[in-house]
Amino acid sequence: MRDTPSHPLHARKERTSMKIGIIGAGNIGGNLTRRLTALGHDVSVANSRGPHTLTALAEETGATPVTVDEAARGAEIVVVTVPLKAVPDLPSGLFAGAAEGFALIDTNNYYPQRDGRIAAIEDDGLTESRWTEGHLGHPVIKAFNGTYAQDILDRPLPAGDPERLALPVAGDDEVAKKTVRALIDQLGFDTVDAGGIDDSWRQQPDTPVYGLRAGVEAVTKALAEASPERPATFRG
């Protein structure tokens, strides 16, 4: 669903534009770029292959293709949406030029078949996002990790619509969490506070809320029903 004058979210463009950096231009990163630019935000997008590979996305959306080192420059919100195994390879000092008090969104999931076995997650009990936070050197807000990428385009609805989907959001920084939840509301989805980063196992893969297309009540219930035991299918 593209943002057109007839779309119920079109009126939200009068909100103040933010500068947003997106690192990773796969399904989630690409569709966030599409929606956020449609909502009037100033989006810079980067991937591991370089800005020249993002020409088509830039022409489609008006986003600015940049290098990974440049993606967070001046950004009030940064989204890291790369395979978990690629997180340690991101440049050091990545956020040195970000806006003061910026919010950092982590959309990642640990898939050992793709990422290789990560002992800190499996043996030491770190949540995926706590592990990510340690490598990035900045508090993260976990969101969009169980969201179908196409839903970002196809299923936004105005606040109060009984069919509106809700997304779980976890994080320790309450100010950053509030910023992220407001952005998700602008994108056309409700949110449920899933607790701190040490609670974010409740929304990891193979939990009841992962991939759940439902409203606030069902998402809240699914988070409460999660088990901290990592299933065998998600162990290396």
Side-chain angles (χ1 to χ4, degrees):
M1 183 187 300
R2 298 302 170 83
D3 200 33
T4 65
S6 61
H7 191 282
L9 297 179
H10 185 75
R12 293 174 181 254
K13 283 190 177 182
E14 75 275 4
R15 293 189 181 189
T16 303
S17 171
M18 288 190 291
K19 185 165 177 54
I20 300 174
I22 298 179
I23 300 171
N27 293 332
I28 293 288
N31 284 352
L32 282 175
T33 299
R34 292 178 176 94
R35 286 294 296 134
L36 292 169
T37 52
L39 289 166
H41 294 293
D42 178 5
V43 178
S44 295
V45 60
N47 66 8
S48 61
R49 295 176 295 147
H52 65 283
T53 66
L54 297 169
T55 301
L57 182 62
E59 290 177 350
E60 175 191 349
T61 64
T64 303
V66 295
T67 65
V68 172
D69 296 276
E70 299 169 321
R73 194 167 297 167
E76 298 159 85
I77 295 178
V78 179
V79 183
V80 173
T81 180
V82 300
L84 200 71
K85 65 181 179 181
V87 168
D89 297 327
L90 291 172
S92 60
L94 184 59
F95 308 116
E100 184 177 356
F102 76 99
L104 177 58
I105 299 176
D106 165 33
T107 79
N108 304 330
N109 293 304
Y110 173 47
Y111 301 117
Q113 296 82 3
R114 177 197 67 186
D115 300 315
R117 190 177 189 279
I118 298 177
I121 293 174
E122 296 206 23
D123 300 336
D124 301 339
L126 289 184
T127 61
E128 299 165 355
S129 287
R130 184 65 77 193
W131 181 87
T132 297
E133 186 177 87
H135 283 284
L136 295 179
H138 190 277
V140 304
I141 305 298
K142 190 178 188 75
F144 299 109
N145 72 292
T147 305
Y148 292 98
Q150 195 61 32
D151 286 353
I152 295 170
L153 298 183
D154 292 347
R155 302 194 67 164
L157 288 169
D161 191 298
E163 299 299 317
R164 201 182 205 216
L165 302 182
L167 310 183
V169 180
D172 298 331
D173 184 330
E174 293 299 327
V175 174
K177 188 190 290 185
K178 183 177 179 180
T179 298
V180 172
R181 294 181 72 181
L183 183 72
I184 294 172
D185 174 65
Q186 189 183 5
L187 283 164
F189 302 90
D190 287 331
T191 58
V192 173
D193 190 333
I197 286 302
D198 289 334
D199 302 309
S200 64
W201 55 266
R202 294 183 181 276
Q203 65 194 80
Q204 291 177 170
D206 212 29
T207 59
V209 82
Y210 183 78
L212 178 65
R213 289 173 163 135
V216 168
E217 184 176 352
V219 166
T220 302
K221 182 174 183 287
L223 286 167
E225 292 174 346
S227 167
E229 184 177 351
R230 182 173 292 275
T233 50
F234 286 92
R235 293 200 298 266

